[in-house]
Amino acid sequence: MPARPSAHDAAFYITTPIFYVNDVPHIGHAYTEVATDVLARWHRQRGDDTWFLTGTDEHGQKILRTAVANDTSPQAWADALVESAWKPLLETIDISNDDFIRTTEERHEQAVTIFLQKLYDDGHIYSGEYEGYYCVGCEEYKQLDDLMETADGDYAGQLVCKIHSRPVEILKEKNYFFRMSAFEQQLLDLYENRPDFVQPASVRNEIVQFVKQGLADLSISRSSFDWGIKVPWDDSHVVYVWFDALLNYVTAVGYGADDEQFERRWPAVHIVGKDIARFHAVIWPAMLLAAGLDVPKAVFGHGWLLVGGEKMSKSKLTGIAPNEITDTFGSDAFRYYFLSAITFGQDGSFSWEDLSARYQSELANGFGNLASRVIAMVTKYFDGAVPTTTLDEAIVTIEKRVTDAAGAAIDAFAIDKALATIWELVDALNLYITEQQPWVLAKDEADRDRLAQVLATAVHGIGTLAILLAPVLPKTTTKLWAALGGDGTVDQQPIDTAWQWKGTSAVTPLVSSLFPRIESSE
Ligand code: MSP
């Protein structure tokens, strides 16, 4: 497990992949966003100098073809999709990004040109002939291993991409090549010396095996279409879309334009789906090494949301729009569900039944009712004044253990484990209320002190929960924090010492349920 930052102002720069704008988002894309958002919010609440970047990937053949098929220009298509679909997604699922980069922005295009020219000047690029397969869906040059021959269906007898199940194209072009093969040993050393560089272990193993088989040079330009950034020394070529896209992580934080900002932010932690881990853990560090820049802090490849055992995808018409879920359950439940139900780093299946069941048992009954019952009892028995008394040590001990363990889980990218740990406190507090029976204590004046202690302890435990859950449930915990009468806002409360928050003097009843009952549509 990586060491916890000792200083609380440690730089923490985290990114999502930038999304293709050929289509609208589905819950698979939203999953990448919420996971990254939780990590960013956690680090902010820890006091780290946090920067969270997301954005859109707008060049390449895929976008060009989509635009042409829709009788428009690629720029107009991208503009429309960014405004109507991708930026609104961030609102729908409550994403707290600090910046949003589009690869068609001037700041990006200029810095890509600077980077490429440097690599060219330093001898890392040569011109050659590319002959091979290309999948436009992946925007990737393919080896035979990546393809399969289909026996039936529309593409019977053709070579199709294993990911998209669509035929690949045969390319024969004069291209510029990046001497990636020269970095093979340095990459292997990197994986060896920094076992945390690629995570989880399953993805790391795949990457190491891949590089051990030998690295080829990479074609980094295309000349058969012009939707891309022009190669600075040869404007009959545009930059290969992945080469352009990967650079967003440095161009957005000042590479080639603002050295101070770049020094402050870079290197980043990249959260990506495992399907694109190779680009991030092989090509990207090789590019950075060539340019003499630091490689990323870590690349984490998460699993896929599956539908019928396959990766959910728009091209296979299995995509579910995020707002189909948030319209009914709200954004907090969306965030909680995907991060608690799926082990981060493994694939998981989505089902409406599982979502409804967990919403009801974990959020509404487990956490929501606990909070409203305790606040209601303080209101009823003490007029809302939180008794000043010592707290039950047994509960405080659990608060401390959970705070420490959840922080450690986040450092290990085990978001689901952090949530499971926090839920140990939810369960412990529910059990505490059931066992202590404050409503029985309230009947006898002789038990008044004990009643005061039980409710003060429960309020403290709920406050700790609010602080720990703020990164995952920002809306609900804000509401709860207001009802608890806590100082400032919940997301300002130091998360590493959540259990030590100082408590409050008065609570006010929750005006509405934290997790309202969902009426079944059947
Ligand atoms: N544009 C590239 C990334 C460039 S980053 C320099 C791209 N875009 S994408 O829109 O196709 O995918 C973006 C992210 O969404 C990837 O991390 C991908 O793994 C993720 N997902 C797409 N479908 C998914 C699921 N069904 N499940 C989980 N994540 C999924 O790739």
Side-chain angles (χ1 to χ4, degrees), residues 332-393:
D332 277 6
F334 183 105
R335 298 163 62 90
Y336 173 79
Y337 173 71
F338 286 104
L339 295 179
S340 63
I342 299 171
T343 303
F344 197 54
Q346 289 177 20
D347 295 345
S349 295
F350 163 78
S351 88
W352 289 99
E353 292 74 23
D354 191 32
L355 166 63
S356 303
R358 283 170 186 267
Y359 177 89
Q360 201 49 44
S361 68
E362 293 163 21
L363 292 177
N365 299 344
F367 175 50
N369 278 356
L370 168 72
S372 57
R373 278 167 84 202
V374 169
I375 291 172
M377 286 190 279
V378 177
T379 308
K380 183 165 171 195
Y381 304 133
F382 293 95
D383 267 342
V386 181
T388 317
T389 168
T390 56
L391 304 178
D392 241 325
E393 269 310 308

Side-chain angles (χ1 to χ4, degrees), residues 17-20 26 28-29 31-32 57 242 245-246 248-249 272-273 275-276 280 302-305 311-312:
I18 49 172
F19 298 88
Y20 288 129
H26 60 60
H29 305 120
Y31 178 59
T32 306
D57 189 354
W242 266 100
L246 287 162
N248 91 89
Y249 302 128
V272 301
D275 49 323
I276 57 171
H280 287 80
H302 66 68
W304 289 339
L305 299 192
K311 179 177 175 233
M312 171 181 298

Side-chain angles (χ1 to χ4, degrees), residues 198-267:
V198 189
Q199 298 185 55
S202 52
V203 175
R204 177 176 185 272
N205 293 340
E206 191 211 301
I207 297 289
V208 172
Q209 283 320 313
F210 174 76
V211 177
K212 275 192 176 155
Q213 284 169 14
L215 270 193
D217 290 342
L218 177 72
S219 164
I220 56 153
S221 75
R222 299 293 306 276
S223 56
S224 53
F225 63 93
D226 67 355
W227 178 236
I229 299 174
K230 292 221 176 320
V231 168
W233 61 88
D234 180 349
D235 68 7
S236 64
H237 285 245
V238 291
V239 180
Y240 167 46
V241 61
W242 266 100
F243 201 87
D244 158 357
L246 287 162
L247 283 164
N248 91 89
Y249 302 128
V250 293
T251 64
V253 290
Y255 171 79
D258 179 347
D259 293 347
E260 198 182 322
Q261 194 202 6
F262 186 67
E263 284 301 307
R264 176 172 171 190
R265 303 288 177 211
W266 187 254

Side-chain angles (χ1 to χ4, degrees), residues 122-140:
D122 292 348
H124 295 293
I125 291 173
Y126 62 91
S127 105
E129 183 83 14
Y130 179 83
E131 194 169 357
Y133 302 103
Y134 193 83
C135 169
V136 176
C138 296
E139 292 282 17
E140 186 179 12

